[in-house]
Amino acid sequence: MESESESGAAADTPPLETLSFHGDEEIIEVVELDPGPPDPADDLAQEMEDVDFEEEEEEEEGNDEGWVLEPQEGVVGSMEGPDDSEVTFALHSASVFCVSLDPKTNTLAVTGGEDDKAFVWRLGDGELLFECAGHKDSVTCAGFSHDSTLVATGDMSGLLKVWQVDTKEEVWSFEAGDLEWMEWHPRAPVLLAGTADGNTWMWKVPNGDCKTFQGPNCPATCGRVLPDGKRAVVGYEDGTIRIWDLKQGNPIHVLKGTEGHQGPLTCVATNQDGSLILTGSVDCQAKLVSATTGKVVGVFRPETVASQPSLGEGEESESNSVESLGFCSVMPLAAVGYLDGTLAIYDLSTQTLRHQCQHQSGIVQLLWETGTAVVYTCSLDGVVRLWDARTGRLLTDYRGHTAEILDFALSKDASLVVTTSGDHKAKVFCVQRPDR
């Protein structure tokens, strides 16, 4: 089915500062979403180009109960072996599901776990800064705001909490439906989340002004705010994809039927300028979509599953699915990670498979290093691997977990990788590459 266009070109949408949020009984006009001084420019992205991302010096602190300097002894698990990590954060008492780094300084991490706990801690020595207390279900989402002043945590039941980092105080909370994903707006103190009832929520924090974007009657399984800050792409369990106008509250494009996926979406990514969107699904396909037209401009499927019969609507592949994907920032390449352990590097200009890199176990997530053609993967065997996407060659790997890695994050300068695992630990690895 052709994509449906319900509004004009995204470039004509008003700037995000004029977003309207629904309050309890009236429409509240939000005059300014960014806490900085007013800027007369219309383009929100242009307004934020000069944000100062100064590196802050790390303070030297003594040991605390929540961290262990390597080597660590006495770890029991099925993946015994060398530990390449520099710091281990050990305050969680169950699987650690998520990790995020503060974007301004990259000196703080927030982790959430199956123990219903979330912690903010320092990467340099693993010292606990504060606990994000009050969750009563597994914390599956956590992240810092664009300016690192706020940190949000969300649990499976849909309880979201936001904390002021410098004061360590809770400043906002909300109970939505069962939580599928959560993400901060890239330019403003605005939090978005998708829930199992199909809704996508958007709140201005901390005052809580709210908008909802109603999807189909099925979970909103993944979502991403586009770099312009005016649109968001959301994937759903029924295989449909919607590109939302965040101000107007309506879908600019809807992809369904043959344009959408034949199974639940698992992940979504955008390129640097927001012109292209890549979506992944349990149907083993990755679809390249024009953010401007809403048209599918490419479909990628790994050769290892090319011979599988097509899935019917709503059916899932038992053996494989797309788990993670992303765009290279310096070459026209995209990476797709599959549950069967395949890392596929696709050439976007020719829409062909360039390299296929095989892991011994399923890929959980992948991340591209900014400014290079190096892609990082973490997998169910507990190992982080670095790949040269130009050659398909494995550059190096980092070990230390005794169970599967469930999430990981990469510092801006690609000097640190922070991982979380089913072994109840989070680890910090220093990336050393002779080619840099």
Side-chain angles (χ1 to χ4, degrees), residues 4-182:
E4 301 168 9
S5 179
E6 301 189 23
S7 72
D12 296 330
T13 36
L16 191 62
E17 288 90 325
T18 58
L19 283 178
S20 297
F21 294 80
H22 293 287
D24 290 336
E25 298 182 7
E26 59 180 350
I27 295 178
I28 303 168
E29 195 72 17
V30 178
V31 177
E32 181 181 66
L33 287 185
D34 190 273
D39 191 316
D42 280 340
D43 191 342
L44 180 63
Q46 182 178 347
E47 292 172 15
M48 297 302 294
E49 278 180 355
D50 297 324
V51 173
D52 184 14
F53 289 98
E54 257 187 317
E55 290 291 336
E56 294 180 3
E57 293 185 4
E58 292 183 20
E59 303 171 10
E60 294 296 330
E61 296 282 350
N63 287 9
D64 193 78
E65 293 179 356
W67 61 277
V68 185
L69 286 179
E70 303 311 324
Q72 179 187 359
E73 300 186 8
V75 177
V76 178
S78 59
M79 303 178 192
E80 297 284 3
D83 191 344
D84 303 320
S85 65
E86 299 295 322
V87 172
T88 296
F89 181 78
L91 275 185
H92 286 282
S93 59
S95 294
V96 190
F97 289 139
C98 56
V99 61
S100 179
L101 308 186
D102 85 279
K104 187 173 182 181
T105 70
N106 275 194
T107 60
L108 301 177
V110 57
T111 51
E114 192 179 16
D115 54 4
D116 307 348
K117 294 183 181 297
F119 300 104
V120 175
W121 49 280
R122 291 199 332 199
L123 296 179
D125 54 13
E127 181 187 354
L128 176 67
L129 207 60
F130 62 93
E131 177 181 351
C132 304
H135 287 287
K136 297 179 180 178
D137 204 342
S138 298
V139 178
T140 53
C141 300
F144 291 89
S145 62
H146 72 286
D147 58 3
S148 298
T149 61
L150 302 171
V151 62
T153 54
D155 66 33
M156 289 183 67
S157 71
L159 176 61
L160 296 102
K161 290 176 173 287
V162 174
W163 312 77
Q164 186 86 26
V165 175
D166 57 357
T167 65
K168 308 176 184 178
E169 294 179 353
E170 182 180 329
V171 295
W172 178 84
S173 66
F174 188 90
E175 290 193 47
D178 291 351
L179 187 63
E180 296 283 336
W181 60 271
M182 180 191 80

Side-chain angles (χ1 to χ4, degrees), residues 400-413:
H401 283 293
T402 58
E404 69 277 7
I405 296 176
L406 299 173
D407 194 15
F408 79 141
L410 181 63
S411 63
K412 284 181 306 199
D413 63 0

Side-chain angles (χ1 to χ4, degrees), residues 177-181 193-201 213-222 234-242 244 255-256 261 263-265 313-314:
D178 291 351
L179 187 63
E180 296 283 336
W181 60 271
T195 50
D197 57 9
N199 285 328
T200 297
W201 300 75
F213 307 86
Q214 189 170 1
N217 190 26
C218 66
T221 52
C222 55
V234 180
Y236 298 88
E237 190 178 68
D238 64 357
T240 61
I241 305 157
R242 284 164 174 78
W244 291 94
L255 288 81
K256 55 187 178 181
H261 285 276
L265 272 83
E313 187 169 356

Side-chain angles (χ1 to χ4, degrees), residues 119-346:
F119 300 104
V120 175
W121 49 280
R122 291 199 332 199
L123 296 179
D125 54 13
E127 181 187 354
L128 176 67
L129 207 60
F130 62 93
E131 177 181 351
C132 304
H135 287 287
K136 297 179 180 178
D137 204 342
S138 298
V139 178
T140 53
C141 300
F144 291 89
S145 62
H146 72 286
D147 58 3
S148 298
T149 61
L150 302 171
V151 62
T153 54
D155 66 33
M156 289 183 67
S157 71
L159 176 61
L160 296 102
K161 290 176 173 287
V162 174
W163 312 77
Q164 186 86 26
V165 175
D166 57 357
T167 65
K168 308 176 184 178
E169 294 179 353
E170 182 180 329
V171 295
W172 178 84
S173 66
F174 188 90
E175 290 193 47
D178 291 351
L179 187 63
E180 296 283 336
W181 60 271
M182 180 191 80
E183 180 177 275
W184 282 100
H185 189 279
R187 297 288 183 269
V190 170
L191 187 67
L192 289 90
T195 50
D197 57 9
N199 285 328
T200 297
W201 300 75
M202 183 170 70
W203 302 274
K204 184 174 184 289
V205 179
N207 70 16
D209 295 343
C210 179
K211 290 187 77 169
T212 57
F213 307 86
Q214 189 170 1
N217 190 26
C218 66
T221 52
C222 55
R224 180 65 53 90
V225 182
L226 269 62
D228 65 6
K230 301 173 184 178
R231 296 167 294 164
V233 55
V234 180
Y236 298 88
E237 190 178 68
D238 64 357
T240 61
I241 305 157
R242 284 164 174 78
I243 301 174
W244 291 94
D245 183 319
L246 294 180
K247 178 189 182 297
Q248 302 294 341
N250 62 282
I252 305 170
H253 303 291
V254 180
L255 288 81
K256 55 187 178 181
T258 57
E259 289 282 279
H261 285 276
Q262 302 307 304
L265 272 83
T266 54
C267 48
V268 62
T270 69
N271 64 347
Q272 270 192 319
D273 65 9
S275 61
L276 292 172
I277 296 166
L278 199 57
T279 61
S281 166
V282 300
D283 66 5
C284 292
Q285 293 186 353
K287 295 203 171 189
L288 188 65
V289 178
S290 166
T292 303
T293 66
K295 300 290 186 182
V296 175
V297 296
V299 179
F300 303 113
R301 188 178 179 91
E303 293 179 353
T304 53
V305 296
S307 59
Q308 288 185 359
S310 298
L311 295 171
E313 187 169 356
E315 293 182 21
E316 298 183 18
S317 166
E318 294 182 1
S319 60
N320 205 10
S321 68
V322 176
E323 294 297 308
S324 186
L325 36 71
F327 291 90
C328 178
S329 63
V330 294
M331 296 178 69
L333 301 175
V336 181
Y338 296 87
L339 186 60
D340 71 352
T342 301
L343 170 66
I345 307 296
Y346 294 103

